[in-house]
């Protein structure tokens, strides 16, 4: 990766220009892969916008353009670190902006503009460093030209090109640099030359986020912008038949009510008027003969399906004959609920439509599909839709919707209302609004040999597909298997390491909208797999750590994380009375995370005191950022493990706000210790991989404490 | 209606029952205070009313007449508030940042009442403020840090 990179061969185009008083460095990269089957995205990819990753101002400012969205994960700092190192930039001069929605900013691996899959840092590791290196080369040449000296004798440091005792700031060189040919080759620095990469670095967005000036989608205001709240169907999939808005129109501040595909929208001067106006609406929904999901019913349906063969996701050997040689068999059923992402900032989206275009202000993780969807609704070309990405008050997958739900709806409202509007969701709208982590049921039957090692592994999953019915279906569903449903099972080292195995999937059809929730399929498969392994260790009468070590002996990255966590948590050493340990390790998004949870159970209440985390993510570009993401993942996953659940009663979502959709609070936050494995392996992600091992580590500790195996989440009052 | 927001007398055309949150955000245009739940369950909307932390999403503007509303925008000029912000930056608390105005307002109020809180005091005072990014551990550390600096 540190080698000379031939830019022209890699498809870079010369495209440097002086715009708005600064040097813009631009290049394009070969696009591709994961999402390229997206029909609308292909259209969007014809946009001719310049591809600018960094801009140097005459005032020496360095503006880094983010191709991805900042939603808390820290890329507002990490991506500039990549550029700063190659550019020898003055860190205090760095500014950051979200890039517009344009083909130039598509994901280097996924082919659309997206922030997801814990992929920003690894997928930009070369592109952003190259942008920095290319710019530095140009500035050196510019200085050589200005001083009329050979470029070889010059060096760069902290925002200056230096020649002996002479120096020129980058801002002073911008004009000359913009007239130069882009170099054909750049040499990236060697790791030992890095000043920022690999060093704990403070966040660049911290100051604005503690004084109230950071702008989230929710904070977008401009003259003429009205607030809209939409009354949506209480039962998913039903349509608005009729409505009476006579009471609504009498409420001061209400401007009008319009019908949109998702329901009735109240347009008002402010949120309070819109909310009151919406409460006063009389709505009739077309619910007759419509499916009314009920969690108890769904559970029965899933249990019945799990007894039947589904679509095969993985197979090896012969389960039936291998099982005959078994000493014992462990069979278990695991159930995980629907979950809401509940990002702290309720969804919102501001839209202004004008004659020849549309502007959108929102916090989104998927600009390309949002842009394409808006364009389709308005009969525009994607490039006529401008997206101003704002800070996201949390994403966790909710703002990466291939169906562009909250953006499409806002566009429909603005179009019907014929005025600029910002749709605002209440918390109730968010909790009841769908796009949940799908409910999943796993049934596994594992035959063990005399030593307690798995001989045969039979595993069936039942749950809704996230991808089915989206534009990604063509690329992401193969042979009837949605890879995001079975990840962490079909590709598990335990399953694949068992000579005889079979993984089956039933993809259930339903009107309940589902979506990726922080760690996607791993959010359920990690729990099931690492709980099962604990069950097997117990059946084999072996220590859970020793048992894992044996099964993972050919998986060095799993082992490195596992051993580091166990070591730092003093696995096997005495604990205070009443405190017990549980362990889990899981790979997801290219990173390997092990966790040891220390737990006590008193009067049915689970208290998690401490969680020791070890992660191998390859190079940790910002170790402090990695640590923060591990802390964050523990909190997010622990709330879900202990209390969060979306359930259905007679077609309606039973929860509505944080009193009944309970998430982690300060009083339940354990002490979290994070250790990063020193690793030169391939880089993985950090936003999500800390989530999957948490619930099993806690549940395994609960088993150690109480002898009760948790096979259903949330733990709730199961121990009472 | 006349409201005193961050030391300024401000005339706002709002109905009596409008929660302070929407008056300061949608009408006065001060967007630092956030909306998270609208029912006093998350703390994102925390402001100070005569120095006391309140949930502005459920407090009508009528309750603020004759009193002083202080929001995150004015914390830089507040000795305790400033110390909290400085500690927040030193510990690098924020992630998405959306809950942090409310966290800082609650922490500032806690430190005014209890200049040396222990972990249990912090848990009790701060558990009404949800952070979906899970920055709780750093919030704890930052409150201790601010307390030390103020001592
Ligand atoms: S918005 Fe007021 S407490 Fe949540
Ligand atoms: S920092 Fe994101 S919700 Fe607290």
């Amino acid at each position: 990766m540190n080698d000379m990179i031939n830019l022209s061969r890699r498809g870079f185009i010369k495209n440097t220009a002086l715009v708005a008083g600064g040097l813009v460095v631009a290049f394009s990269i070969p696009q591709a892969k994961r999402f390229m089957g997206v029909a609308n995205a292909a259209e969007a990819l014809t946009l001719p916008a310049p591809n600018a990753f960094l801009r140097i101002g005459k005032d020496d400012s360095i503006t880094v353009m983010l191709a991805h969205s900042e939603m808390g994960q820290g890329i507002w700092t990490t991506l500039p670190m990549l550029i700063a190192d190659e550019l020898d930039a003055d860190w205090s001069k760095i500014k950051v902006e979200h890039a517009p929605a344009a083909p130039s900013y598509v994901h280097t691996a996924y082919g659309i503009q997206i922030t997801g899959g814990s992929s920003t840092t690894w997928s930009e590791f070369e592109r952003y460093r190259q942008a920095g290196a290319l710019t530095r080369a140009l500035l050196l040449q510019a200085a050589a030209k200005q001083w009329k000296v050979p470029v070889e004798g010059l060096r760069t440091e902290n925002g200056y090109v230096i020649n002996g005792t002479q120096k020129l700031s980058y801002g002073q060189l911008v004009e000359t640099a913009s007239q130069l040919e882009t170099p054909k080759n750049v040499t990236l620095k060697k790791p030992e030359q890095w000043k920022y990469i690999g060093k704990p670095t403070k966040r660049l967005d911290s100051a604005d986020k503690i004084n109230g000036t950071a702008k989230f989608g929710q904070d977008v205001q401009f003259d003429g912008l009205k607030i809209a709240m939409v009354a949506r169907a209480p039962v998913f999939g039903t349509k608005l038949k009729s409505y009476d808005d006579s009471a609504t129109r009498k409420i001061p501040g209400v401007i009008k009510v319009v019908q949109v595909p998702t329901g009735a929208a109240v347009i008002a001067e402010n949120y309070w008027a819109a909310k009151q106006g919406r409460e006063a609406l009389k709505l009739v929904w077309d619910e007759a003969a419509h499916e009314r999901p009920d969690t108890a019913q769904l559970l029965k349906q899933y249990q019945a399906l799990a007894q039947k063969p589904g679509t095969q996701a993985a197979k090896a050997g012969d389960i039936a004959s291998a099982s005959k040689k078994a000493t014992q068999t462990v069979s278990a059923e695991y159930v995980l609920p629907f979950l809401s992402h509940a990002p702290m900032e309720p969804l919102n989206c501001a839209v202004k439509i004008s004659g020849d275009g549309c502007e959108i202000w929102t916090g989104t993780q998927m600009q390309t599909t949002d842009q394409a969807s808006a364009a389709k609704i308005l009969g525009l070309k994607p490039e006529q839709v401008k997206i101003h990405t704002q800070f996201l008050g949390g994403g966790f997958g909710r703002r990466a919707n291939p169906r562009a739900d909250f953006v499409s709806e806002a566009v429909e409202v603005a179009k019907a209302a014929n005025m600029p509007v910002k749709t605002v969701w209440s918390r109730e709208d968010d909790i009841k609004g769908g796009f949940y982590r799908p409910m999943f049921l796993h049934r596994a039957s594992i035959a063990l040999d005399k030593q307690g090692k798995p001989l045969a592994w039979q595993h069936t999953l039942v749950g809704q597909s996230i991808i089915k019915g989206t534009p990604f279906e063509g690329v992401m569903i193969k042979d009837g298997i949605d890879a995001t449903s079975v990840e962490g099972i079909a590709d598990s080292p335990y399953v694949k390491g068992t000579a005889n195995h079979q993984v089956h999937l039933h993809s259930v059809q339903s009107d309940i909208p589902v979506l990726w929730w922080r760690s996607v399929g791993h959010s359920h498969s990690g729990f099931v797999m690492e709980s099962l392994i604990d069950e097997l260790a117990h059946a084999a009468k072996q220590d859970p750590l020793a048992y894992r070590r044996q099964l993972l002996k050919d998986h060095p990255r799993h082992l490195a994380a596992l051993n580091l966590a166990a070591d730092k948590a003093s696995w096997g050493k005495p604990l205070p009375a009443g405190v017990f340990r549980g362990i889990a390790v899981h790979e997801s998004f290219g990173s390997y995370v092990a966790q040891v949870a220390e737990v006590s159970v008193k009067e049915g209440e689970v208290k998690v005191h401490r969680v020791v985390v070890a992660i191998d993510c390859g190079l940790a570009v910002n170790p402090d950022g990695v640590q923060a993401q591990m802390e964050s993942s523990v909190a997010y996953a622990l709330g879900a493990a202990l209390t969060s659940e979306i359930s259905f009663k007679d077609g309606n979502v039973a929860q509505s706000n944080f009193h009944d959709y309970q998430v982690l609070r300060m009083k339940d936050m354990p002490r979290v210790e994070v250790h990063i494995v020193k690793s030169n392996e391939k880089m993985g992600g950090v936003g999500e991989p800390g989530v999957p091992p948490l619930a099993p580590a806690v549940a395994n500790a609960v088993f150690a404490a109480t002898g009760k195996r948790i096979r259903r989440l949330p733990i709730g009052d199961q121990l009472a | 209606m006349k409201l005193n927001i961050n030391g300024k007398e401000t005339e706002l055309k709002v109905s009596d029952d409008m929660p302070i949150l929407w008056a300061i955000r949608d009408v006065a245009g001060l967007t630092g205070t956030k909306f998270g739940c609208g029912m006093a369950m998350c703390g994102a909307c925390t402001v100070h009313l005569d120095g006391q932390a309140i949930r502005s999403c459920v407090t009508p503007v009528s309750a603020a007449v004759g009193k002083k509303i202080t929001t995150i925008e004015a914390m830089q000029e507040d000795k305790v508030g400033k110390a909290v912000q400085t500690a927040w930056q030193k510990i690098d608390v924020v992630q998405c940042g959306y809950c942090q105005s409310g966290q800082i307002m609650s922490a500032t109020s806690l430190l005014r009442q209890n200049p040396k809180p222990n972990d249990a005091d912090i848990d009790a005072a701060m558990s009404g403020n949800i952070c979906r990014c899970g920055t709780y551990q750093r919030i704890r550390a930052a409150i201790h840090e601010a307390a030390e600096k103020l001592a």
Side-chain angles (χ1 to χ4, degrees):
Chain A
M1 264 190 290
N2 315 311
D3 301 332
M4 192 90 131
I5 289 169
N6 185 319
L7 297 168
S8 57
R9 233 188 334 116
R10 289 175 54 86
F12 281 65
I13 47 167
K14 178 194 175 285
N15 192 355
T16 58
L18 196 64
V19 296
L23 175 67
V24 172
V25 176
F27 50 89
S28 76
I29 57 121
Q31 341 221 322
K33 294 176 200 151
R34 198 166 180 181
F35 298 111
M36 279 306 277
V38 181
N40 290 332
E43 259 172 66
L45 290 172
T46 58
L47 254 178
N51 181 358
F53 289 83
L54 109 97
R55 196 163 66 220
I56 299 183
K58 287 182 180 164
D59 61 353
D60 292 335
S61 66
I62 294 167
T63 306
V64 175
M65 308 295 286
L66 291 196
H68 304 261
S69 309
E70 173 60 52
M71 50 189 179
Q73 82 281 41
I75 58 165
W76 198 264
T77 310
T78 315
L79 295 187
M81 285 169 73
L82 302 178
I83 281 183
D85 247 331
E86 289 299 336
L87 184 58
D88 281 334
D90 176 351
W91 187 248
S92 70
K93 298 278 170 24
I94 302 262
K95 294 181 189 166
V96 190
E97 277 176 22
H98 281 124
S104 331
Y105 299 106
V106 300
H107 195 292
T108 62
Y110 300 163
I112 61 169
Q113 199 168 338
I114 179 175
T115 309
S118 300
S119 64
T120 298
T121 303
W122 65 253
S123 73
E124 296 295 7
F125 191 61
E126 286 201 22
R127 181 157 70 168
Y128 273 72
R129 284 189 305 145
Q130 285 162 2
L134 186 63
T135 310
R136 179 175 165 274
L138 275 170
L139 292 163
L140 277 166
Q141 281 181 24
K145 196 173 166 198
Q146 236 160 286
W147 281 322
K148 301 198 174 56
V149 296
V151 74
E152 288 72 28
L154 306 180
R155 64 190 180 87
T156 53
E157 197 184 302
N158 213 29
Y160 288 93
V161 179
I162 299 167
N163 179 29
T165 53
Q166 283 181 298
K167 58 187 199 173
L168 282 167
S169 78
Y170 288 174
Q172 292 174 302
L173 291 163
V174 154
E175 193 106 41
T176 313
S178 67
Q179 292 148 14
L180 296 173
E181 278 282 310
T182 309
K184 293 262 182 312
N185 297 296
V186 284
T187 308
L188 296 179
K189 287 185 175 170
K190 301 214 160 25
E192 49 282 12
Q193 297 171 286
W194 291 338
K195 205 168 136 193
Y196 303 104
I197 298 172
K199 312 279 185 316
T201 305
K202 291 246 181 306
R203 299 181 65 112
L204 289 171
D205 53 356
S206 184
D208 287 353
K209 286 178 172 178
I210 59 175
N211 63 19
T213 57
K215 288 277 176 272
F216 297 84
Q218 193 77 269
D219 303 329
V220 171
Q221 296 182 336
F222 52 82
D223 274 349
L225 182 70
K226 306 298 178 195
I227 303 294
M229 288 189 88
V230 179
R232 301 180 189 88
V235 177
F236 291 122
T238 59
K239 292 258 171 296
L240 184 61
K241 231 166 122 179
S242 64
Y243 67 93
D244 172 0
D245 62 2
S246 45
T248 300
R249 279 186 285 115
K250 289 193 194 108
I251 290 170
V254 168
I255 300 163
K256 60 165 105 168
V257 179
V258 294
Q259 189 161 353
V260 290
T262 47
V266 179
I267 322 292
E269 294 295 342
N270 55 63
Y271 179 89
W272 188 241
K275 182 172 182 285
Q276 288 178 312
R278 189 174 69 166
E279 278 159 15
L281 282 175
K282 289 196 186 71
L283 303 151
V284 182
W285 300 95
D286 185 10
E287 292 181 354
H290 198 274
E291 155 202 17
R292 302 183 79 87
D294 196 288
T295 298
Q297 294 293 327
L298 286 176
L299 182 59
K300 278 196 199 133
Q301 181 200 343
Y302 284 25
Q303 282 170 327
L305 275 172
Q307 307 284 351
K308 297 182 199 152
T311 310
Q312 191 167 289
K315 183 177 161 48
D318 179 351
I319 295 220
S321 55
S323 300
K324 288 193 195 113
K325 293 178 231 141
T327 313
Q328 56 174 329
T329 299
V330 173
S331 297
E333 178 192 280
Y334 281 81
V335 185
L336 293 99
F338 290 101
L339 289 173
S340 171
H341 306 74
M344 205 64 233
E345 178 193 16
L347 296 170
N348 54 75
C349 180
V351 179
K352 184 179 176 185
I353 302 166
S354 51
D356 55 353
C358 165
E359 284 184 88
I360 295 174
W361 293 260
T362 193
T364 174
Q365 296 175 245
M366 216 187 261
Q367 285 83 354
T368 306
T369 47
D370 292 339
Q371 189 183 42
S373 303
K376 195 163 169 224
I377 291 166
L378 298 170
L380 296 171
K381 296 200 187 81
E383 61 266 33
Q384 291 173 288
V385 176
K386 253 178 110 171
I387 299 187
H388 308 275
T389 301
Q390 308 294 306
F391 277 126
L392 282 67
F396 314 119
R398 180 62 184 91
R399 288 177 160 92
N401 194 341
R403 297 176 184 87
D405 73 312
F406 64 97
V407 173
S408 301
E409 181 186 69
V411 172
E412 294 278 8
V413 175
K415 186 181 161 195
N418 197 22
M419 59 178 71
V421 296
K422 177 171 70 180
T423 53
V424 178
W425 294 48
S426 68
R427 178 59 60 193
E428 289 78 6
D429 294 341
D430 173 56
I431 298 291
K432 291 186 176 293
F435 295 102
Y436 305 124
R437 194 284 301 275
M439 172 181 170
F440 257 87
L441 182 143
H442 293 234
R443 225 194 127 70
S445 199
I446 302 136
L448 302 180
D449 67 13
K450 260 206 302 289
Q451 284 79 42
K453 276 187 70 180
L455 267 175
W457 193 307
Q458 166 93 49
H459 202 117
T460 305
L461 298 94
V462 186
Q464 282 176 247
S465 161
I466 293 167
I467 302 299
K468 197 158 175 30
T470 74
F472 301 159
E473 194 173 324
V475 208
M476 294 175 74
I477 299 187
K478 293 248 153 65
D479 301 324
I481 298 291
D482 174 348
T484 72
S485 294
V486 295
E487 59 190 5
I489 303 289
D491 55 356
S492 155
Y494 303 119
V495 172
K496 284 171 76 175
T498 305
N500 308 286
H501 66 254
Q502 190 168 48
V503 178
H504 276 198
L505 171 69
H506 293 275
S507 288
V508 182
Q509 305 282 345
S510 164
D511 279 336
I512 301 167
V514 293
L515 194 57
W516 21 57
W517 181 96
R518 199 174 189 176
S519 81
V520 197
H522 299 282
S523 70
H524 52 91
S525 65
F527 171 66
V528 173
M529 190 49 72
E530 282 298 306
S531 298
L532 278 171
I533 290 299
D534 227 64
E535 295 209 39
L536 301 186
H538 182 71
K541 299 195 170 50
Q542 290 183 34
D543 172 72
L545 170 63
Y547 188 74
R548 283 177 173 81
R549 278 182 178 152
Q550 190 195 330
L551 293 186
L552 295 170
K553 63 180 190 323
D554 299 326
H555 298 273
R557 298 187 74 181
H558 285 85
L559 275 183
L562 189 66
N563 288 333
L564 184 59
D567 181 43
K568 297 290 182 187
S570 310
W571 184 265
K573 305 261 164 60
L575 279 167
V579 180
F580 295 84
R581 290 191 187 95
I583 194 165
V585 60
H586 193 81
E587 180 274 329
S588 61
F589 308 95
S591 289
Y592 301 73
V593 182
Q595 295 178 0
V596 176
E598 293 177 6
V599 169
S600 62
V601 182
K602 240 192 234 141
E603 288 160 15
E605 286 263 323
V606 175
K607 175 89 192 156
V608 182
H609 304 275
R610 176 183 180 223
V611 178
V612 177
V613 183
I615 174 170
D616 175 2
C617 57
L619 171 72
V621 172
N622 184 0
D624 195 47
V626 174
Q627 185 181 328
Q629 282 313 294
M630 293 302 106
E631 293 164 7
S632 171
S633 299
V634 164
Y636 199 76
L638 184 56
L642 294 176
T643 51
S644 310
E645 169 170 27
I646 291 289
S647 59
F648 291 86
K649 256 209 145 93
D650 188 29
N652 298 308
V653 178
Q655 293 73 24
S656 63
N657 204 318
F658 288 126
H659 62 293
D660 52 10
Y661 187 77
Q662 295 188 25
V663 299
L664 198 83
R665 292 176 181 271
M666 173 73 88
K667 64 182 172 45
D668 295 317
M669 181 71 189
R671 195 147 50 83
V672 181
E673 289 172 29
V674 180
H675 303 279
I676 300 173
V677 176
K678 280 202 181 53
S679 168
N680 292 318
E681 300 292 329
K682 194 161 177 253
M683 283 169 80
V686 297
E688 295 165 280
V691 170
L694 187 276
V698 168
N700 294 339
V702 166
F703 178 76
T706 64
K708 182 167 164 63
R709 184 59 69 184
I710 300 292
R711 295 202 183 93
R712 205 167 280 201
L713 289 183
I715 296 173
D717 53 11
Q718 289 179 61
L719 299 165
Chain B
M1 179 153 307
K2 254 212 175 82
L3 291 177
N4 184 308
I5 308 173
N6 296 333
K8 265 204 257 146
E9 290 293 331
T10 317
E11 181 73 44
L12 297 180
K13 267 203 242 130
V14 296
S15 61
D16 278 17
D17 64 342
M18 182 185 278
I20 293 172
L21 173 64
W22 300 112
I24 55 183
R25 280 186 59 86
D26 283 5
V27 188
L30 287 171
T31 56
T33 305
K34 303 303 185 204
F35 162 57
C37 71
M39 62 178 292
M41 292 301 302
C42 79
C45 66
T46 308
V47 300
H48 295 170
L49 191 59
D50 278 352
Q52 291 283 325
I54 58 141
R55 307 293 188 225
S56 67
C57 67
V58 292
T59 313
V61 284
S62 57
V65 177
K67 295 188 176 163
K68 285 190 163 76
I69 300 170
T70 316
T71 70
I72 186 72
E73 283 90 350
M75 279 303 101
Q76 266 138 305
E77 290 106 59
D78 180 288
K79 186 171 157 250
V80 180
K82 180 78 207 157
V84 169
Q85 287 175 323
T86 306
W88 244 243
Q89 249 191 300
K90 182 171 172 204
I91 310 280
D92 231 8
V93 171
V94 309
Q95 290 193 21
C96 84
Y98 194 80
C99 73
Q100 299 296 346
S101 297
Q103 304 281 5
I104 287 167
M105 297 308 284
S106 291
T108 302
S109 161
L110 163 67
L111 285 172
R112 277 210 202 109
Q113 281 154 34
N114 180 355
K116 244 191 130 2
N118 60 26
D119 279 351
D121 299 331
I122 294 174
D123 284 3
M126 301 298 293
S127 281
N129 285 78
I130 294 174
C131 174
R132 286 297 279 150
C133 299
T135 62
Y136 300 124
Q137 170 158 298
R138 292 187 189 219
I139 290 175
R140 244 181 231 151
I143 292 176
H144 287 307
E145 161 77 21
E148 236 168 74
K149 285 278 140 66
L150 284 165

